[in-house]
């Protein structure tokens, strides 16, 4: 499957069912390959700028400040950043839902997020202490999440349901290549984390260029928004805040989709959070294999990336053809848990390679198919950005929860063996709860 396999030129994407022209209509026409390419590149840039620091650069910077407390510093920085992410993603998603710019609802937030994220990454290169490092990483998270909220909402805005598994797979491919690019950046700079941050900033900005020019983002007519009054503003703020609560009773499938994503993501973050330290302190990679841990992360990430790219594209396309999502989501969640168990009971370089391979197989299919499933349980068309932002809290919250869970396991409760067993159990719970979703097969 490649971008060229998608349908060719199509009519104006704003003209949809019944001849209606609106940003809120359910899309029925396939999207062009050039549009999908733009979405893929934005995802690539976000993940290069995000995972390069998260996998290696932040850990190196933490060790630079205090090698004896590097795990605690990394947990602090990533936890605070994830807390910002939890708020920023649904907030910027909701803002984009209500943006009436002539450039569309999503484009302004992709652009502004890229500028903020890149500027914060450049500043992070010269952070003088842990406090400043933490603040700047929070700003990176804010910018990246503004971009991610907008580009994620663009998919249900523009892509019809029968094509969403395929597009979701290609977007996941972009995310995975971005993770690999981030690992390459971190390995190439060879411990110079400041240079790594500069390169990550450049990747973030480069990733948005095609989408900005080829977004076909449909403007939201001002008439779709409530006219401004001061009383209306106050009521609107109250309604806006209340709007972030989506009733599990009224929308149970949305709630179950959120919970399953939270559990699987938590297990996955527990696996990847301390990968650099796992290779150096548990596998003793440099002593046993003569490979620096940074390059070990690159090798494992490359293996993981190749399998994710393959299974995300194949899994997404297969789910479109089957017309079913849940069986593939459950199976992929189980495979992810198996990968955690491999790392737990084979803390060797060979075990790491096997774990990365299995994790990539499972997580690639999961990313593509679960995303397609989620887009089918969104409560309303008007609030796609907000609702996907709420779903993305399930991606961000694990970045707060995982360090809190992982640190005591590593430091006090049995080390990496117990950590990875716990990650497997949490991920398996996510597979169990998928069966509760009723409106999607």
């Amino acid at each position: 499957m490649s971008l060229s396999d998608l349908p060719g030129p199509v009519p104006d994407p704003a003209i949809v069912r019944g001849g209606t022209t609106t940003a809120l209509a359910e899309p029925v026409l396939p999207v062009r390959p050039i549009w999908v390419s733009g979405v893929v590149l934005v995802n690539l840039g976000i993940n290069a700028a995000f995972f390069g620091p998260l996998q290696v650069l932040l850990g190196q910077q933490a060790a630079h400040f205090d090698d004896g407390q590097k795990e605690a510093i990394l947990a602090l920085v990533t936890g605070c950043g994830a807390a910002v992410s939890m708020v920023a993603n649904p907030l910027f998603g909701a803002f984009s839902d209500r943006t009436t710019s002539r450039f569309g609802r999503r484009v302004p937030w992709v652009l502004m997020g890229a500028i903020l994220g890149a500027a914060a990454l450049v500043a992070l290169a010269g952070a003088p202490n842990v406090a400043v490092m933490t603040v700047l990483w929070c700003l990176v998270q804010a910018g990246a999440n503004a971009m991610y909220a907008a580009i994620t909402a663009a998919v249900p805005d523009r892509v019809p349901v029968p094509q969403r598994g395929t597009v979701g797979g290609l977007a996941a491919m972009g995310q995975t290549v971005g993770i690999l690019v981030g690992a390459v950046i971190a390995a190439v700079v060879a411990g110079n984390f400041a240079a790594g941050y500069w390169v990550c900033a450049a990747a973030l900005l480069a990733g948005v260029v095609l989408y900005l020019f080829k977004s076909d983002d449909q403007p939201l007519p001002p008439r779709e928004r409530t006219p401004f009054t001061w009383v209306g503003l106050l009521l609107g703020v109250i309604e806006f805040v209340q709007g972030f609560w989506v009733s599990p009773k009224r929308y149970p499938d949305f709630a179950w989709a959120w919970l399953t994503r939270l559990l699987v993501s938590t297990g996955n973050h527990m696996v990847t959070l301390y990968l650099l330290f796992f290779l150096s302190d548990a596998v003793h990679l440099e002593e046993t294999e003569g490979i620096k841990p940074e390059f070990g992360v690159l090798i494992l990430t490359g293996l993981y990336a190749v399998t994710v790219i393959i299974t995300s594209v194949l899994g997404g396309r297969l789910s479109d053809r089957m017309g079913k999502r849940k069986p593939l989501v459950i199976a992929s969640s189980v495979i992810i848990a198996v990968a955690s168990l491999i790392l737990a009971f084979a803390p060797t370089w060979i075990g790491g390679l096997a774990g990365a391979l299995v994790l990539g197989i499972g997580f690639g299919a999961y990313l593509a198919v679960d995303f397609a499933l989620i887009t089918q349980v969104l409560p309303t068309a008007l609030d796609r950005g907000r609702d996907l932002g709420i779903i993305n809290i399930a991606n961000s919250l694990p970045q707060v929860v995982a360090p809190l869970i992982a640190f005591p396991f590593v430091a006090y409760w049995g080390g990496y063996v117990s950590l990875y067993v716990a990650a497997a159990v949490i991920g398996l719970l996510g597979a169990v709860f998928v069966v509760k979703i009723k409106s999607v097969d």
Side-chain angles (χ1 to χ4, degrees), residues 178-354:
I179 293 172
L180 178 58
V181 169
V184 169
I185 292 170
V188 167
V189 298
N192 186 348
F193 58 81
Y197 287 133
W198 276 85
V199 179
C200 286
L204 184 64
L205 293 174
V208 305
V209 174
L210 180 61
Y211 180 75
L212 293 180
F213 287 99
K214 295 293 182 180
S215 69
D216 293 330
D217 198 1
Q218 297 301 304
L220 180 70
R223 66 176 179 274
E224 299 286 353
R225 298 179 60 179
T226 304
F228 175 82
T229 65
W230 288 109
V231 174
L233 175 63
L234 177 61
L235 295 176
V237 169
I238 295 172
E239 181 182 359
F240 181 77
V241 173
Q242 290 176 335
F244 286 100
W245 171 253
V246 179
S247 170
K249 183 176 181 180
R250 186 175 180 185
Y251 303 106
D253 285 352
F254 182 83
W256 286 117
W258 188 91
L259 180 60
T260 57
R261 175 60 72 96
L262 173 70
L263 291 169
V264 174
S265 295
T266 298
N268 190 62
H269 276 289
M270 289 171 65
V271 171
T272 59
L273 177 65
Y274 290 136
L275 183 59
L276 178 66
F277 302 150
F278 171 72
L279 292 178
S280 61
D281 300 339
V283 176
H284 303 290
L285 186 61
E286 190 163 7
E287 294 87 343
T288 58
E289 303 291 338
I291 302 172
K292 289 186 178 297
E294 293 85 355
F295 281 94
V297 171
L298 174 59
I299 293 168
L300 294 185
T301 304
L303 181 60
Y304 164 86
V306 170
T307 52
V308 165
I309 289 169
I310 294 171
T311 59
S312 63
V313 174
L314 293 180
R317 195 172 189 184
L318 177 61
S319 73
D320 282 345
R321 290 186 174 182
M322 292 172 56
K324 295 180 182 296
R325 314 290 191 195
K326 288 197 297 186
L328 292 174
V329 171
I330 293 170
S332 59
S333 300
V334 171
I335 293 171
I336 293 169
V338 170
S340 300
L341 295 176
I342 291 173
L343 294 177
F345 296 109
T348 64
W349 179 232
I350 297 300
L353 292 171

Side-chain angles (χ1 to χ4, degrees), residues 131-222:
V132 175
M133 174 186 175
T134 303
V135 171
L136 290 171
W137 180 244
C138 289
L139 291 176
V140 173
Q141 284 274 16
N145 276 277
M147 298 172 65
Y148 189 64
I151 202 66
T152 303
V155 174
D157 283 349
R158 294 288 320 281
V159 182
V161 168
Q163 199 184 11
R164 285 184 191 169
T166 299
V167 173
L170 292 168
M173 178 189 72
Q175 294 171 10
T176 306
V177 174
I179 293 172
L180 178 58
V181 169
V184 169
I185 292 170
V188 167
V189 298
N192 186 348
F193 58 81
Y197 287 133
W198 276 85
V199 179
C200 286
L204 184 64
L205 293 174
V208 305
V209 174
L210 180 61
Y211 180 75
L212 293 180
F213 287 99
K214 295 293 182 180
S215 69
D216 293 330
D217 198 1
Q218 297 301 304
L220 180 70

